[in-house]
Amino acid sequence: MPFFRKSPKTNDEVDWSSLPRHIAIIMDGNGRWAKQRGLPRTAGHAAGAETFRTIATYCKEIGIEYLTVYAFSTENWKRPPEEVRAIMSLLGNYLTEALADMERNQIRINFFGDLSTLTPELRALCERAHNASMRYSKAQANICLNYGGRDEITRAVRALARACAAGERDPDTITEADISAQLYSAGVPDPDLIIRPSGEIRTSNFLLWQSAYSEYYFTDVLWPDFSKEELHRALASYQKRSRRFGGV
Ligand code: IPE
Ligand code: IPE
Ligand code: MG
């Protein structure tokens, strides 16, 4: 557990009494991390998977209720097949391990994304990890896998359009809450803080609807190098912001 202090003292000091409920992370920079070391990109993904283990465990320890991570986007299929296979294989390893360690971790595992295009083996692992972890309610990890914000919204629009066409819904009564309820994130509060390492300043199709009022934290650190200390910096920065949600 971290050292608890009541109020922030230095720039990077975290106020442990007012943490965000939901942190989302775009786990980016694995390829560049590997390149810097003269390693294949897949070595960067393996290192990134380690960082995810550390950060997910730590978020639960400090009391973050929801952690959403971008693991594979709907656009990442454009990558070379060997790289895609390596990422999927690392995900499979992680889920196998998570299934074995479930009782120790006590983290509910959820998926955002279209799992139907994954291999049957990986899809089965996702389902098993999700079902077996449903009983834990203190901390939830949402793994965005074959996820795209536009794809998610498109699916929600289709579902509502189908209901209207079937005469079950009146288009004029559709609310923002109805749309939220059709997203992968239904029932999950919007992210308070979205972290993007690796120096890129863009969303890359991540949580487009849910991020309307999220606070962003960008850092040049590459994801495999992301540490608890870097998370502290992100939290301290978040805590200095004034969230107005359009008010005064
Ligand atoms: C993020 O790291 C992992 C995935 C997108 C799956 P990258 O592989 O995008 O790393 P860079 O951006 O090339 O460094
Ligand atoms: C976003 O990173 C997707 C994930 C981290 C899974 P990318 O590396 O795919 O994003 P771009 O291509 O730099 O926008
Ligand atoms: Mg990238």
Side-chain angles (χ1 to χ4, degrees):
M1 287 297 272
F3 177 56
F4 285 81
R5 221 194 264 278
K6 269 272 174 291
S7 58
K9 290 251 164 53
T10 68
N11 271 352
D12 295 348
E13 220 160 301
V14 178
D15 176 358
W16 301 104
S17 66
S18 67
L19 291 172
R21 262 187 99 185
H22 184 174
I23 297 177
I25 307 180
I26 301 175
M27 304 189 291
D28 196 17
N30 296 347
R32 278 164 281 173
W33 182 92
K35 195 171 177 206
Q36 281 176 358
R37 287 162 180 74
L39 297 169
R41 291 179 59 83
T42 49
H45 296 308
E50 277 310 313
T51 304
F52 168 64
R53 285 176 177 89
T54 307
I55 296 298
T57 307
Y58 187 60
C59 280
K60 176 171 183 271
E61 261 172 41
I62 62 174
I64 303 298
E65 276 176 81
Y66 299 92
L67 173 69
T68 301
V69 291
Y70 208 1
F72 194 88
S73 76
T74 45
E75 287 73 35
N76 287 149
W77 296 106
K78 293 176 194 160
R79 296 184 178 209
E82 317 82 70
E83 181 172 346
V84 171
R85 264 197 301 275
I87 295 169
M88 296 301 168
S89 154
L90 286 163
L91 275 159
N93 293 348
Y94 169 74
L95 293 173
T96 307
E97 192 185 289
L99 271 160
D101 285 352
M102 199 132 272
E103 203 41 49
R104 189 162 55 85
N105 295 338
Q106 308 236 336
I107 299 178
R108 179 187 290 185
I109 300 174
N110 200 18
F111 294 90
F112 292 178
D114 176 16
L115 305 187
S116 72
T117 58
L118 306 181
T119 62
E121 295 76 27
L122 185 56
R123 196 164 64 236
L125 269 176
C126 292
E127 277 158 18
R128 278 176 59 206
H130 175 66
N131 294 337
S133 66
M134 275 305 282
R135 61 181 184 273
Y136 307 119
S137 55
K138 284 216 187 78
Q140 177 170 325
N142 303 306
I143 302 176
C144 299
L145 181 47
N146 190 19
Y147 172 88
R150 287 184 170 182
D151 179 62
E152 180 183 39
I153 294 168
T154 304
R155 284 161 193 275
V157 169
R158 280 193 206 126
L160 290 166
R162 268 195 301 270
C164 291
E168 294 154 11
R169 288 291 322 232
D170 170 2
D172 291 325
T173 66
I174 292 172
T175 62
E176 292 186 6
D178 291 328
I179 295 173
S180 294
Q182 294 295 333
L183 303 178
Y184 293 119
S185 57
V188 174
D190 289 340
D192 300 295
L193 170 63
I194 300 183
I195 299 173
R196 182 163 194 166
S198 93
E200 308 300 351
I201 319 286
R202 55 176 171 260
T203 68
S204 300
N205 208 7
F206 189 46
L207 304 177
L208 297 183
W209 176 272
Q210 300 86 340
S211 62
Y213 271 102
S214 301
E215 297 295 331
Y216 279 92
Y217 178 82
F218 295 102
T219 169
D220 287 341
V221 170
L222 303 172
W223 175 246
D225 289 329
F226 195 90
S227 58
K228 292 176 186 175
E229 290 68 33
E230 195 54 42
L231 182 70
H232 294 169
R233 271 177 220 121
L235 290 169
S237 164
Y238 166 83
Q239 288 173 339
K240 289 196 202 88
R241 322 260 181 101
S242 157
R243 299 184 78 188
R244 287 183 289 277
F245 300 94
V248 286

